[in-house]
Amino acid sequence: MFVPGLIERKRDGGALAAEEWRDLLAAYAAGELPDYQVAALLMAVFFRGMAREETAGLLEGMMGSGGRLDFSGLGRPVVDKHSTGGVGDKVSLVLAPLVASCGVAVPMMSGRGLGHTGGTLDKLESIPGFRTGLSLEETLAQVGRLGCAMIGQTPEIAPVDKKLYALRDVTATVECIPLIAASIMSKKLSEGLNGLVLDVKLGSGAFITDAARSQELAETMIALGTARGCPTVALLTAMDRPLGRACGNALEVEESVMALRGEGPQDLMDVTMALAVEMLVLAGVPGGRRSGGDPRAAARSELEAAVKSGRAAETFKAVIEAQGGNPAVVDDPAILPQAAEVEVYRASAGGTVLQVEPRVIGRAVVQMGGGRQKVDDVVDPSVGFVITARPGQSVTKGEPLASIFARDAAGVDLARAALGRAIRIGKGHADPLPLVAARINATGTERLA
Ligand code: URA
């Protein structure tokens, strides 16, 4: 392998073959390639892009660097969800136990907070004792027993992706669709899934804010999943305002518990149900297609029954207990870490709520200590916001719009200033994005709003 020749070919608009990506990534994983050559190649990919077949070759090389979960003896379908991330996006915490309680295995593999967006692992770790670092063996055993595990990327899954991501992070090559798509799918497809649902966020709080690029990302991931025999569906959902009311780790766990009891905010319930329906339909549960009925309607009633009967909340409890956490949080969320300072934030004028800007809120949570500004920062699970103001709502002067949860007076000041920038009240008319705008699969896009 003559690496300068491969970089030159990519730089000049050519493509690398699947075997070249495989050998290159194997050498990089083994520490036999210097970062500067891989960084040069990534920058060439950033500017030249990749055709679908080449992206598939990159994906193959990433997956080949590690092991895979094998659920073949499980006797039930295995489906997962990936979200491109957002503010207040606690869907995974509700969705995984909910879908598992309907007979589908969900090995939910998630990440930590990234930039202004929160991460499922940080949220789960606000539950006292909760352990997200399960091995592949432990994950297989737990999914076999409970139908669900909620874990981080294990060292065995696509290890070269972790190394590449760290290099992309410091070489301005993260925002590149084929690199993002291969990175996400290398982890998801290593889970040995029978189906995958993608929640691709649209709007100013999304990882990618341009709608056409979000659609392209969704289509690229769908093509990669489908080509590897994993039916993949994407929903485009709104991230031009926070999802639900709670933003911040422990606050989001509390809201998730409410949602599992059927008492969550309507937008959170709607997005969770829409994604859960897609997961059940991919899994062929509860057999609506076989019985000749409408599979989406059948899936929805199965999910509603799981919430109503308490099965979904009980599954979350069992997962928490199995992963070392205190399951009592499901009955008494007051056990979760509590902020020292709580303050109500009120409207300074009457009018219509025109906007609740998610990026400002997400950044404020990080600055209050609820996320990381440096890699070794310790996350404070107690801080954040509960924002009741929604775009389009009429408010009067002095009306409560949000609650601030901070660790000290400086945190309250920072949060108050952030809410002042994020919540815009005026005379006009709010124009929020539809909550679930479209469904995309291998055959095309269906507009839902
Ligand atoms: N998340 C990932 O896992 N990979 C990316 O490249 C971007 C977001």
Side-chain angles (χ1 to χ4, degrees):
M1 185 174 48
F2 180 58
V3 179
L6 298 180
I7 300 170
E8 189 178 291
R9 195 187 323 147
K10 198 67 228 170
R11 182 201 66 193
D12 294 344
L16 271 55
E19 318 72 76
E20 291 173 320
W21 278 115
R22 186 194 56 212
D23 294 349
L24 211 127
L25 294 182
Y28 187 50
E32 291 159 8
L33 267 190
D35 281 346
Y36 56 79
Q37 284 187 316
V38 179
L41 188 62
L42 291 171
M43 191 56 90
V45 169
F46 185 93
F47 283 114
R48 289 295 188 172
M50 275 178 148
R52 288 274 160 81
E53 307 87 78
E54 191 182 12
T55 313
L58 171 64
L59 171 70
E60 186 90 46
M62 284 173 153
M63 290 178 69
S65 72
R68 295 186 201 179
L69 286 161
D70 179 4
F71 288 112
S72 49
L74 199 63
R76 54 176 141 172
V78 186
V79 179
D80 198 3
K81 184 248 0 175
H82 175 84
S83 163
T84 57
V87 178
D89 179 7
K90 71 278 292 169
V91 168
S92 292
L93 275 68
V94 188
L95 190 68
L98 170 61
V99 171
S101 73
C102 295
V104 177
V106 187
M108 179 70 73
M109 195 185 293
S110 307
R112 299 199 175 275
L114 192 63
H116 67 283
T117 65
T120 300
L121 299 184
D122 296 327
K123 293 170 200 185
L124 287 169
E125 286 174 2
S126 65
I127 300 171
F130 198 101
R131 194 165 67 88
T132 55
L134 304 192
S135 67
L136 282 191
E137 229 169 273
E138 287 174 307
T139 305
L140 282 169
Q142 186 174 315
V143 172
R145 213 155 30 85
L146 303 176
C148 182
M150 299 171 89
I151 60 164
Q153 182 179 3
T154 75
E156 301 100 320
I157 294 280
V160 81
D161 166 66
K162 204 166 184 173
K163 208 169 162 185
L164 279 177
Y165 192 89
L167 189 59
R168 287 167 57 207
D169 203 20
V170 293
T171 56
T173 49
V174 169
E175 288 93 353
C176 171
I177 286 174
L179 296 180
I180 297 171
S183 165
I184 291 171
M185 295 303 279
S186 67
K187 289 165 279 201
K188 290 292 164 180
L189 295 175
S190 296
E191 292 176 28
L193 303 175
N194 303 114
L196 174 64
V197 176
L198 303 168
D199 180 5
V200 177
K201 302 289 187 192
L202 298 178
S204 56
F207 180 54
I208 293 178
T209 53
D210 179 78
R213 279 170 55 77
S214 296
Q215 171 104 16
E216 190 188 335
L217 175 63
E219 287 171 357
T220 307
M221 291 194 284
I222 289 166
L224 291 174
T226 309
R228 296 192 67 92
C230 175
T232 304
V233 175
L235 294 183
L236 300 182
T237 71
M239 187 37 67
D240 58 340
R241 67 268 191 192
L243 183 61
R245 300 184 193 115
C247 303
N249 297 299
L251 296 165
E252 292 191 43
V253 171
E254 181 169 355
E255 191 166 271
S256 302
V257 167
M258 286 165 63
L260 281 163
R261 293 200 199 113
E263 295 158 12
Q266 198 57 49
D267 59 343
L268 174 63
M269 299 305 289
D270 288 349
V271 171
T272 305
M273 280 293 176
L275 292 161
V277 163
E278 297 302 327
M279 289 173 79
L280 260 58
V281 170
L282 280 180
V285 172
R289 205 186 296 279
R290 282 194 296 279
S291 63
D294 171 0
R296 288 207 159 74
R300 180 168 281 272
S301 36
E302 180 75 14
L303 291 159
E304 283 166 359
V307 170
K308 204 158 174 212
S309 66
R311 247 190 305 137
E314 284 304 313
T315 303
F316 191 37
K317 231 179 184 174
V319 169
I320 294 172
E321 187 158 31
Q323 294 189 222
N326 184 352
V329 294
V330 176
D331 299 316
D332 181 12
I335 292 170
L336 289 162
Q338 303 291 318
E341 302 285 335
V342 181
E343 185 178 291
V344 175
Y345 178 83
R346 297 175 189 277
S348 55
T352 302
V353 177
L354 300 175
Q355 193 183 27
V356 181
E357 173 49 56
R359 202 169 272 259
V360 173
I361 299 295
R363 284 199 181 133
V365 173
V366 173
Q367 288 175 304
M368 289 159 76
R372 295 175 194 79
Q373 300 188 62
K374 298 191 291 308
V375 276
D376 52 356
D377 279 349
V378 176
V379 167
D380 182 338
S382 71
V383 302
F385 300 92
V386 172
I387 304 173
T388 48
R390 313 306 303 161
Q393 182 187 336
S394 293
V395 295
T396 52
K397 184 172 178 192
E399 188 175 328
L401 301 179
S403 297
I404 294 168
F405 297 81
R407 54 183 167 198
D408 51 28
V412 173
D413 289 345
L414 190 151
R416 207 186 295 116
L419 287 171
R421 290 194 305 279
I423 305 179
R424 224 162 36 84
I425 296 172
K427 287 211 177 337
H429 147 103
D431 194 16
L433 291 172
L435 204 50
V436 183
R439 178 189 303 114
I440 312 175
N441 63 18
T443 61
T445 300
E446 185 186 349
R447 294 281 151 204
L448 302 174

